[in-house]
Amino acid sequence: MRTVASRHDRGARALAALVVPMVAVLLMAGGCAADPGSEASSPPSEAPRASSEPVAVEPALAGETFTDPGGRYTLTVPASWEPHHGIAGEGIEVWRVAKVKGDFAPNINVITEDVTGMSLKDYMTLSFANAPQILSDFKLLKSSVVTSAAGQDLGVIEYSARGLRYVGVVALGSMGAVVVTFSSTPDRFAAIVDDVYPYMVTLQPTGI
């Protein structure tokens, strides 16, 4: 019989093993700052192009404001998310958002990156271009630029790789890029994503 402790350890191992490789997909722009006046190249022809969509104003979300220890962003976090900060590396914030099933725990993670002289469009374009070099089975499913209820422009990217489904939310501020990623197995994705997405788009970078 598996103990509560063993199930917790199993979930922790699942998070640690899968968080870092996946969020790295959206972080390939570092060190490749673009000329602010230059035109970004288009995403690959087979990839959907980003569109601009407003985020509907939702009722106030239940939760508390999480402030990045490095001072780069804030994010509204519900009490139901279980924190596992540091499990995937220093500076990576992780929350488990559902129970472990099949040795995988659906999770939210946040990574920051030093990026300068780059627009949100540039950042997303480079992410699309570089992702297949990191994950051979990367498939871009949807992409858009939305405006949060707070007026923040956010890049939203839905993709699949390594047998999992992801939604990434990207924001740029004067202190760099912030990427919030939701990871799930495909069979549980639809049942969870609508609950976590409203919290993901509360992302607010500091020093805009």
Side-chain angles (χ1 to χ4, degrees):
M1 178 181 295
R2 288 176 175 157
T3 66
V4 172
S6 68
R7 288 196 299 271
H8 177 82
D9 290 344
R10 183 161 54 95
R13 288 195 299 271
L15 286 170
L18 291 166
V19 166
V20 174
M22 296 303 104
V23 295
V25 168
L26 296 177
L27 295 175
M28 293 299 102
C32 302
D35 180 348
S38 66
E39 286 293 324
S41 59
S42 299
S45 58
E46 69 275 15
R49 291 179 179 270
S51 61
S52 181
E53 303 172 359
V55 173
V57 177
E58 300 285 346
L61 295 172
E64 296 188 356
T65 300
F66 174 83
T67 301
D68 169 42
R72 294 192 175 198
Y73 67 89
T74 60
L75 183 73
T76 300
V77 175
S80 60
W81 291 8
E82 182 179 296
H84 291 269
H85 305 320
I87 194 170
E90 184 178 355
I92 303 176
E93 312 302 331
V94 181
W95 291 267
R96 193 180 75 177
V97 299
K99 294 181 179 179
V100 178
K101 181 180 179 181
D103 289 327
F104 184 82
N107 66 85
I108 291 285
N109 60 76
V110 188
I111 281 186
T112 59
E113 184 184 27
D114 295 329
V115 175
T116 58
M118 182 174 291
S119 69
L120 181 59
K121 178 183 176 181
D122 293 340
Y123 189 89
M124 292 176 69
T125 297
L126 284 177
S127 296
F128 298 152
N130 289 322
Q133 301 175 30
I134 307 302
L135 300 170
S136 60
D137 61 346
F138 172 86
K139 182 178 181 180
L140 178 62
L141 303 175
K142 296 179 183 178
S143 67
S144 61
V145 174
V146 302
T147 303
S148 72
Q152 175 66 42
D153 286 341
L154 302 169
V156 180
I157 305 170
E158 183 177 335
Y159 60 100
S160 64
R162 295 186 180 178
L164 297 174
R165 285 279 298 275
Y166 307 89
V167 173
V169 173
V170 184
L172 295 183
S174 63
M175 298 180 69
V178 185
V179 183
V180 180
T181 304
F182 165 59
S183 310
S184 175
T185 51
D187 61 314
R188 304 179 73 187
F189 181 86
I192 302 173
V193 68
D194 287 345
D195 291 332
V196 300
Y197 180 77
Y199 290 94
M200 295 175 70
V201 294
T202 66
L203 174 65
Q204 186 72 24
T206 54
I208 297 172

